[in-house]
Amino acid sequence: MFDIRPTVSSRRIAVIGSGYVGLTLSASLALLGHEVECTDHSLERITQLAQGQLPIVEEGVAEVVGQMLAAGRLRFASDNGLAAERADFVFLCLPTPMGADGWADLSFVQKVAAEIGPRLRPGATVITKSTVPVGTGEMVRDTLARDDVQVASNPEFLAEGSALRDCLHPDRIVVGASSEAVARNVADLYGPFAHSRLILTDIPSAELIKYASNAYLAVRLTFVNSMAEICETTGADIRSVVAGMGSDHRIGKAFLRPGPGWGGSCFPKDTEALVRTAGSLGCDLSLVETAIAANARHTQRVVNKVAAIVDGQVAGKRIAVWGLTFKAGTDDRRQSPALEIARQLVALGASVHAYDPTVPAGIVQGLEVHSSAISACRDADALIVGTEWAEFRSVDLAVLGAVMSRRVILDTRNVLDPGAAVSEGFTYAGIGIPTQAPAEQDAGVAV
Ligand code: UDX
């Protein structure tokens, strides 16, 4: 249970959009003590939310939503205009998907701004929370067409799987506005704890901070995955390399885990959108362009590693895949490297049997999804660990070995214990670490 005693003086807030960001923000603001109305254009979604049923898997959010509904501090509705009429602050938490040409598609933001503009009460503040390209604040201001209304940018930095924690205990709260007073009013919504972590700035800087952070992290991961390839080629171990790098306080330990490539609903679209923005401004962002291309090549390299561990021929092989989401702790499969690898294996003629704790058994994009980690591995020629779900670490390797046709693992997240796998007779390959095989087997599998 969360402590639901208000910690701030209550304000009336509308949150438009009930995706990961809108829902987590609504729950957090209500928890802090505000009166929150969260809207969505999907009536079905609103009806379910009003009953406390969440459309996403996100730790803690369902619990807080339930508590806040019961406390009467949170409600769900479908009328954006009515919610805007009642609110002092309106947060835009709308999707900004990647458009056909790589640009962020701002049509949802524009449509809602046009819809709520005439309905806002004088003195209200409209805050863009969605990730939007630099300059969008101006567009929102123009579309609202209201001189008596303030506009601000307050980008979210929450990561799926830790969204509530990130929202309630952020590293920083960034607020961009045309005056410090407006920015402070928005910051005050987060309560006194926000002030030590506050960055007040202008709107374009706030918009750019979000893109710069995501692009930087994506480039960092591509760097690590490239180092992992060098490790595999030289016999070095990426785990030691990142431990050494991360001990330098200027680098830091976080976000240095190699994997099958970065994905999800943010990094791919945000890096593309930033590259488009830079291009349109005549600025050079070839570093990020290179990282995007290298990330795709890295995922392809993982598919090639799968081929190598099944004797060079994927067609006709039975391959188990653990994890289909883009990372652990979420049910989100958007731009998931694990799913992409599984799909490519199907396209190469493999029979792919998957397990993911968030995906019900059945057929998903040509893959047969099983209801347990072990049943997905029955008669498999190899197991690919695609997502770092904690439960994979506790699977009994002796049972696993007994059901598989060949004891071969490619762990793209380096989460299993290689020593334990080898002592159960597995050949174990990871990303950026030396492949290990039982003494009596050929340790020279070319991965
Ligand atoms: C990201 C940002 O972290 C967040 O601040 C922003 O608001 C939205 O985008 P999210 O997409 O939820 O959040 O996932 P994140 O945890 O950042 O991971 C992104 C990708 O990088 C995933 O594919 C993940 O598996 C991968 N990753 C992350 C690694 O491969 N190694 C790491 O060390 C960290």
Side-chain angles (χ1 to χ4, degrees), residues 156-160 210 221 255 257 263 266 326-327 413:
E156 56 77 20
F157 297 98
L158 57 85
E160 291 179 26
K210 176 61 192 279
L221 289 179
F255 245 78
R257 279 179 289 113
C266 295
F326 82 93
K327 63 174 185 178
R413 301 282 183 165

Side-chain angles (χ1 to χ4, degrees), residues 16 79-82 84-85 90 92 94 106-120 126 128 136-146 149 151:
I16 304 199
D79 189 334
N80 296 335
L82 198 59
E85 253 174 34
V90 181
L92 304 181
L94 296 154
L106 295 176
S107 55
F108 293 103
V109 175
Q110 194 155 26
K111 184 173 152 287
V112 169
E115 184 186 355
I116 64 172
R119 311 282 295 268
L120 291 162
V126 176
T128 307
T136 305
E138 276 310 308
M139 180 274 273
V140 170
R141 195 192 306 279
D142 292 347
T143 311
L144 292 172
R146 289 279 299 266
V149 159
V151 171

